[in-house]
Amino acid sequence: MTEPAWVEHVIWWQVYPLGFVGAFPADPPPPPDEHRLRRIVDWLDHAIALGASGLALGPVFASRTHGYDTTDHFTIDPRLGDGGDFDELVDQAHRRGLRVLLDGVFNHVGTDFPRYREALDGGPDHPASAWFRRRGNRFDTFEGHGELITLNHREPAVVDYTVEVMSHWLARGADGWRLDAAYAVPDRFWSEVLARVRERHRDAWFVGEVIHGDYAGRVAAGFDSVTQYELWKAVWSSLNDGNFHELDHALQRHTEFLATFVPLTFVGNHDVTRIASQMTDPRHLEHALVLLFTIGGVPSVYAGDELGYRGVKENRRGGDDAVRPEFTFPPGEDTDIFRLNKYLIGLRRRHPWLHRAMTSAVELTNSQYVYETRNGDDALVVALNVDDAPLRVSLGDTTLPRGRVVAGSGAPPAEEVDRLTVPPHGWVVVATA
């Protein structure tokens, strides 16, 4: 494992800045002198109250629309403000002990990217044309999006540019990078880029956006981690369908990954329907959160999910807007869903060994699931019940030792127990170590 030591303790609070501060969509777009990026500073104490230890930012670099059509990787998006606003946000985050993760797009650029404009104007023999991949007589695009022009990752100048961008912002205070659409970029490109960046910034952390495919192979290209979309899907799908066999299969795969790297785990982000809207039975939202914080991984909480925000992603232009709303001011935190998030994050931080914990099933049916999550001598037993009948769990035998209930449905007893009953649609966490 190559990850920096600090990652073992990090829990990200993820923000999509352009939406969060009302900069996109907006007509007219806000000017730089509104310094909207600084609005996120007003929410940092909320992140601390939640228990987060890192701020994962979506795109902050100059673009024309949603941030993933980058125009200039060295410039803060004018709709957010300027470089001074970025420096202030990073400084205020670090003062509170929050690491900062940036979101970088190096698979493609927007149509206003200067090199692309030069290539269009100069023709195929212009040096700038070498920066972009071609399909026949036309420049290639990312997944058919005409406004997203694919970079040529064989071009040395593109390699050098990516190294310089990543190193620049790490030197300016960032602690790591989420690399967008990493699955679409050749491994050899990442191997060279990340090795060169690590030479200058050995304590940085790099996570690639990978939706499906060979997770371990992507990590071998030089990443510390990848996004665990397989597990994300299995969590909400198994709870909605009453099919814990799907979840158990995904957790077996997850355990295999943990032998070599620690995936970024989540139940929501800026690209998917919010978890509160994803659940067909609102009682099972708690189960999704319990899963996130009691299995191995690097957990990430999408801003607003800890408050029960709702929003459905739709496959249309503007279909992301509902899951990327503007946040006006920090809300009151005296809600059941916030308290549960805070408690589970506290549980996670009191048990940092969960970072690399392996998970194994103890009891498994379609609608009832008991698993042990273990790292050496440290262990928790988690019982999830989405059935209309109670779930009875025996402790103190050869399978599971006696334990103390530390969280769950109903008032937890203070003493050790050798059996417990999980109510219908309830859950319980037991410390056995």
Side-chain angles (χ1 to χ4, degrees), residues 65-193:
T65 61
H66 45 58
Y68 291 99
D69 54 339
T70 314
T71 298
D72 184 350
H73 293 84
F74 288 102
T75 301
I76 297 299
D77 195 306
R79 295 169 295 176
L80 297 174
D82 56 29
D85 301 317
F86 173 84
D87 293 339
E88 176 67 11
L89 175 57
V90 171
D91 179 65
Q92 291 296 331
H94 285 167
R95 286 172 181 265
R96 292 166 172 81
L98 295 167
R99 298 279 179 169
V100 177
L101 187 71
L102 296 182
D103 195 350
V105 191
F106 300 105
N107 174 66
H108 51 269
V109 295
T111 53
D112 287 341
F113 189 72
R115 288 287 189 280
Y116 178 64
R117 305 312 306 180
E118 293 172 11
L120 281 180
D121 295 340
D125 296 329
H126 192 283
S129 292
W131 277 58
F132 306 99
R133 198 167 65 202
R134 285 186 174 272
R135 187 180 297 270
N137 295 324
R138 296 186 296 178
F139 291 111
D140 202 2
T141 59
F142 175 55
E143 297 182 348
H145 298 287
E147 70 278 11
L148 303 178
I149 310 302
T150 306
L151 289 164
N152 175 14
H153 298 98
R154 296 178 179 272
E155 169 58 37
V158 173
V159 174
D160 293 344
Y161 177 82
T162 305
V163 170
E164 290 308 311
V165 170
M166 293 177 67
S167 298
H168 171 83
W169 294 104
L170 289 170
R172 201 152 167 174
D175 297 285
W177 284 90
R178 172 198 178 270
L179 295 164
D180 185 72
Y183 58 88
V185 177
D187 285 347
R188 62 183 177 274
F189 176 84
W190 292 126
S191 294
E192 181 174 357
V193 166

Side-chain angles (χ1 to χ4, degrees), residues 328-397:
T328 52
F329 52 86
E333 295 160 353
D334 187 24
T335 63
D336 288 343
I337 190 65
F338 182 85
R339 285 194 294 267
L340 178 59
N341 274 274
K342 181 176 181 177
Y343 180 83
L344 290 171
I345 290 174
L347 178 70
R348 179 76 176 214
R349 296 187 70 168
R350 291 191 298 275
H351 299 84
W353 54 267
L354 282 166
H355 180 66
R356 293 190 177 93
M358 307 291 188
T359 304
S360 59
V362 177
E363 297 182 26
L364 173 62
T365 69
N366 280 338
S367 55
Q368 297 180 330
Y369 188 38
V370 181
Y371 63 90
E372 181 185 60
T373 183
R374 174 176 290 276
N375 187 343
D377 294 332
D378 297 307
L380 295 175
V381 172
V382 180
L384 305 176
N385 187 12
V386 296
D387 201 285
D388 292 332
L391 166 62
R392 292 178 174 84
V393 182
S394 297
L395 303 172
D397 58 18

Side-chain angles (χ1 to χ4, degrees), residues 11 110 114 138 150 162 197 219 224 265 274 280 292 332 375 400 423:
I11 295 171
R138 296 186 296 178
T150 306
T162 305
V197 176
V219 171
D224 295 301
T265 51
R274 285 192 177 270
T280 56
L292 175 63
N375 187 343
L400 293 174

Side-chain angles (χ1 to χ4, degrees), residues 40-317:
I40 300 175
V41 173
D42 297 335
W43 282 77
L44 296 181
D45 289 338
H46 168 82
I48 294 296
L50 176 65
S53 52
L55 173 65
L57 293 170
V60 295
F61 308 117
S63 73
R64 188 165 63 180
T65 61
H66 45 58
Y68 291 99
D69 54 339
T70 314
T71 298
D72 184 350
H73 293 84
F74 288 102
T75 301
I76 297 299
D77 195 306
R79 295 169 295 176
L80 297 174
D82 56 29
D85 301 317
F86 173 84
D87 293 339
E88 176 67 11
L89 175 57
V90 171
D91 179 65
Q92 291 296 331
H94 285 167
R95 286 172 181 265
R96 292 166 172 81
L98 295 167
R99 298 279 179 169
V100 177
L101 187 71
L102 296 182
D103 195 350
V105 191
F106 300 105
N107 174 66
H108 51 269
V109 295
T111 53
D112 287 341
F113 189 72
R115 288 287 189 280
Y116 178 64
R117 305 312 306 180
E118 293 172 11
L120 281 180
D121 295 340
D125 296 329
H126 192 283
S129 292
W131 277 58
F132 306 99
R133 198 167 65 202
R134 285 186 174 272
R135 187 180 297 270
N137 295 324
R138 296 186 296 178
F139 291 111
D140 202 2
T141 59
F142 175 55
E143 297 182 348
H145 298 287
E147 70 278 11
L148 303 178
I149 310 302
T150 306
L151 289 164
N152 175 14
H153 298 98
R154 296 178 179 272
E155 169 58 37
V158 173
V159 174
D160 293 344
Y161 177 82
T162 305
V163 170
E164 290 308 311
V165 170
M166 293 177 67
S167 298
H168 171 83
W169 294 104
L170 289 170
R172 201 152 167 174
D175 297 285
W177 284 90
R178 172 198 178 270
L179 295 164
D180 185 72
Y183 58 88
V185 177
D187 285 347
R188 62 183 177 274
F189 176 84
W190 292 126
S191 294
E192 181 174 357
V193 166
L194 295 178
R196 288 173 57 183
V197 176
R198 286 185 197 278
E199 290 177 358
R200 306 187 203 178
H201 305 279
R202 299 192 179 278
D203 204 36
W205 184 67
F206 305 97
V207 56
E209 183 199 19
V210 181
I211 298 174
H212 50 71
D214 184 5
Y215 285 7
R218 288 292 173 182
V219 171
F223 290 96
D224 295 301
S225 182
V226 294
T227 52
Q228 226 307 20
Y229 268 94
E230 285 185 10
L231 186 58
W232 161 78
K233 191 270 179 183
V235 167
W236 61 261
S237 179
S238 64
L239 291 169
N240 282 347
D241 296 344
N243 180 14
F244 277 132
H245 293 278
E246 178 189 3
L247 176 62
D248 184 64
H249 175 75
L251 283 173
Q252 290 180 44
R253 288 259 299 165
H254 188 65
T255 292
E256 292 174 4
F257 299 146
L258 285 162
T260 54
F261 70 96
V262 183
L264 177 71
T265 51
F266 57 95
V267 293
N269 65 29
H270 65 294
D271 279 330
V272 300
T273 291
R274 285 192 177 270
I275 189 63
S277 295
Q278 191 73 259
M279 305 309 303
T280 56
D281 187 331
R283 292 175 295 183
H284 301 157
L285 173 59
E286 295 186 6
H287 299 66
L289 298 175
V290 170
L291 280 160
L292 175 63
F293 294 115
T294 61
I295 61 174
V298 181
S300 177
V301 177
Y302 183 44
D305 283 356
E306 76 279 10
L307 300 167
Y309 282 21
R310 302 180 65 84
V312 176
K313 177 184 173 70
E314 299 179 9
N315 292 321
R316 59 173 177 80
R317 181 174 291 275

